[in-house]
Amino acid sequence: MSTESTLIANIGELVTNDPAADGGPGIVRDAALVIEDGRVAWTGPSRAAPAADASFDAAGRAVLPGFVDSHAHLVFAGERAEEFAARMSGRKYAAGGIRTTVERTRAASDDDLRANIRRLLAEMARQGTTTVECKSGYGLTVEQEERAVRIAAEVTDEVTYLGAHVVPAEYQGDTAAYTHLAATDMLAACAPHARWVDVFCEEGAFDADQAREVLQAGIKAGLAPRMHANQLTQGPAVQLAVELDAASADHCTFLSDADIDALASSETVATLLPGVEFSTRQPYPDARRLLDAGATVALATDCNPGSCYSSSMAFCIAVAVRDMRMTPAEAVWSATAGGARALRRTDVGHLTPGARADIHVLDAPSHIHLAYRPGVPLTSAVWQAGVQVR
């Protein structure tokens, strides 16, 4: 962490996500920002900027908080490009493809897994992502899941135990026995390295009773719940997530009116993952319906080798605006402050005094360009906890 102060001057558009802006972007024009001791120390108009030890000229560019990617699966080996090609040729996406990655991940060395997760995190940072949640779920044995969360904990504080991802081949036909393992010995081995517990509650994975068993055991072990919910079908997962006060219900592709109402009346964030629908040709979730009902929405990549091998939050913003009826301002908020809400963090996702100095400078005059210029690499500079990393 840098101890000297840095002034970022000549900001054309500063997106603060100030909580006082009632969930809006809190935009300041012709602005400046001061970083000190890894935190945002001051924001305001350029003409009133205080002196600092160093300066950076934003030259009229837009500045926004670093992206907060609250759903990613980065501890894995191999890739599934052929599966993607087959899907684009008409094969339907199914959860069972996860087992292909399980085989390759089990066979990989610790160093191989470390190298892959660090490669992906560096790729994310180059695109403006400064906070990343990372799940296990490609080991599915006590030893392998413990290894996954331990390796993830080396690079992020936001580690999620996802032993209940799918039922591994050796437990086919006995989901109850695997669920019990995920809720007992596997959980006990993984809990010291994790903050969160997650379950894939879906046809072909775990039903509501099995999800409840694992999540309640995780809560008892000191982990906070989140859930893969309603990705492939309309089911009970969203309602269970709200009942257990999960930080987020992720995917939310197929929602009933009751699901929408439950999310809108709770603290559970609806985390939408548009890269998955892009990569699987599933219907996109209706973000407009959630927002109009008053639900809190986050955007995340779900970066993984099967259903969405993209680390680009900017891509997710563009798709959310184009195909999920979000405005550019709503999508940027959801990719920053919304992700922070999904992780129950107050120190990231905004640029107001006291926030962690996670700063994303665009090579563009406005946040709108993230959707207006899809596919164009617009990240100009990035600070993470006050240290310039790009």
Side-chain angles (χ1 to χ4, degrees):
M1 181 182 296
S2 175
T3 56
E4 70 172 14
S5 58
T6 300
L7 169 67
I8 301 179
N10 299 320
I11 299 170
E13 175 190 271
L14 175 63
V15 178
T16 67
N17 288 344
D18 187 341
D22 296 323
I27 290 174
V28 181
R29 311 283 182 187
D30 189 18
L33 178 152
V34 174
I35 303 167
E36 190 170 358
D37 295 333
R39 298 276 172 176
V40 176
W42 181 90
T43 64
S46 281
R47 65 182 180 276
D53 299 318
S55 64
F56 176 90
D57 186 358
R61 296 179 176 91
V63 172
L64 55 149
F67 294 133
V68 180
D69 191 344
S70 61
H71 185 128
H73 304 250
L74 306 182
V75 185
F76 67 86
E79 47 85 38
R80 284 151 58 188
E82 293 300 323
E83 177 187 313
F84 172 81
R87 201 158 57 237
M88 294 302 102
S89 299
R91 192 175 81 190
K92 186 178 179 180
Y93 176 73
I98 292 166
R99 297 186 185 97
T100 302
T101 299
V102 170
E103 293 175 7
R104 294 171 182 171
T105 302
R106 287 178 176 180
S109 70
D110 287 10
D111 286 344
D112 288 341
L113 296 180
R114 284 191 179 96
N116 195 50
I117 191 172
R118 291 181 184 278
R119 174 184 66 84
L120 289 168
L121 287 171
E123 182 177 283
M124 291 172 159
R126 288 195 299 271
Q127 301 172 84
T129 298
T130 52
T131 301
V132 180
E133 181 263 10
C134 182
K135 304 178 191 295
S136 68
Y138 293 127
L140 308 185
T141 67
V142 172
E143 179 183 10
Q144 291 281 346
E145 285 295 293
E146 188 277 338
R147 176 172 76 143
V149 292
R150 174 168 42 82
I151 288 172
E154 295 173 359
V155 293
T156 181
D157 294 331
E158 302 296 343
V159 178
T160 299
Y161 162 59
L162 182 59
H165 198 184
V166 293
V167 179
E170 56 268 29
Y171 278 87
Q172 284 302 294
D174 200 353
T175 302
Y178 182 74
T179 301
H180 179 72
L181 177 68
T184 55
D185 292 352
M186 189 180 289
L187 170 65
C190 292
H193 307 288
R195 182 184 178 202
W196 304 98
V197 58
D198 194 349
V199 177
F200 188 10
C201 184
E202 186 59 75
E203 287 184 8
F206 299 87
D207 65 25
D209 289 340
Q210 292 157 351
R212 183 190 302 276
E213 180 181 346
V214 175
L215 292 174
Q216 287 184 329
I219 293 167
K220 187 175 180 180
L223 304 182
R226 53 202 316 109
M227 185 181 294
H228 284 61
N230 296 44
Q231 176 185 359
L232 305 176
T233 57
Q234 186 176 307
V238 165
Q239 297 288 335
L240 179 58
V242 171
E243 175 193 331
L244 296 179
D245 189 30
S248 66
D250 297 19
H251 289 288
C252 292
T253 309
F254 297 94
L255 297 178
S256 66
D257 289 343
D259 292 333
I260 299 274
D261 290 343
L263 288 164
S265 62
S266 75
E267 296 299 315
T268 299
V269 174
T271 299
L272 309 184
L273 310 167
V276 173
E277 280 72 39
F278 181 91
S279 298
T280 62
R281 287 187 172 155
Q282 292 281 106
Y284 286 103
D286 191 343
R288 183 82 267 135
R289 188 175 166 211
L290 284 159
L291 290 165
D292 288 349
T296 301
V297 172
L299 292 175
T301 64
D302 196 7
C303 182
N304 74 84
S307 60
C308 180
Y309 201 4
S310 174
S311 60
S312 174
M313 290 287 278
F315 170 74
C316 292
I317 287 170
V319 174
V321 171
R322 168 62 178 80
D323 292 305
M324 289 161 50
R325 301 198 295 159
M326 299 182 83
T327 68
E330 287 169 339
V332 168
W333 189 94
S334 294
T336 52
R341 294 266 188 100
L343 295 174
R344 295 195 167 162
R345 295 276 295 270
T346 59
D347 61 328
V348 297
H350 62 101
L351 293 177
T352 57
R356 196 171 80 173
D358 291 351
I359 297 164
H360 184 190
V361 181
L362 298 184
D363 192 12
S366 166
H367 69 280
I368 297 170
H369 283 235
L370 288 166
Y372 176 51
R373 304 194 70 204
V376 177
L378 293 179
T379 298
S380 177
V382 179
W383 280 259
Q384 195 165 23
V387 176
Q388 189 169 1
V389 297
R390 178 191 169 102

